[in-house]
Amino acid sequence: MIVDCRTELVAAMKYEGDKAIETSFSVVGEVAMRGIMGDPEVAKNLQSLPTYMDTSKLEKLGKDVAEKR
């Protein structure tokens, strides 16, 4: 970004401020996640995620959030 797209980065920061970088990384992250989540192996492995989590803590978190609303 600093080397290959320097001209574009300077212009974006000049006209859009620091938010330009934040927005750019947000878009890159979204595209990357679409690619990752579209992989059948990733989806398969995500199904086993609850095996490694303490779901009672997540449930308590959900209740705490609901109480604050």
Side-chain angles (χ1 to χ4, degrees), residues 2 6 12 16 19 23 25 27-28 30-32 35-36 38 40 43-44 60 62-63:
I2 294 172
R6 186 175 189 80
E16 298 176 36
K19 199 81 167 156
T23 302
F25 278 105
V27 170
V28 169
E30 287 176 27
V31 171
I36 291 169
K44 181 177 136 188
K60 175 151 179 20
K63 288 177 184 175

Side-chain angles (χ1 to χ4, degrees), residues 24-53:
S24 298
F25 278 105
S26 177
V27 170
V28 169
E30 287 176 27
V31 171
M33 283 306 291
R34 264 188 255 133
I36 291 169
M37 298 310 279
D39 184 317
E41 281 297 309
V42 171
K44 181 177 136 188
N45 287 318
L46 279 175
Q47 290 177 346
S48 67
L49 190 60
T51 305
Y52 305 102
M53 296 171 55

Side-chain angles (χ1 to χ4, degrees), residues 7-24:
T7 303
E8 294 84 354
L9 176 61
V10 169
M13 291 186 72
K14 181 177 179 182
Y15 297 109
E16 298 176 36
D18 294 341
K19 199 81 167 156
I21 294 174
E22 180 181 332
T23 302
S24 298

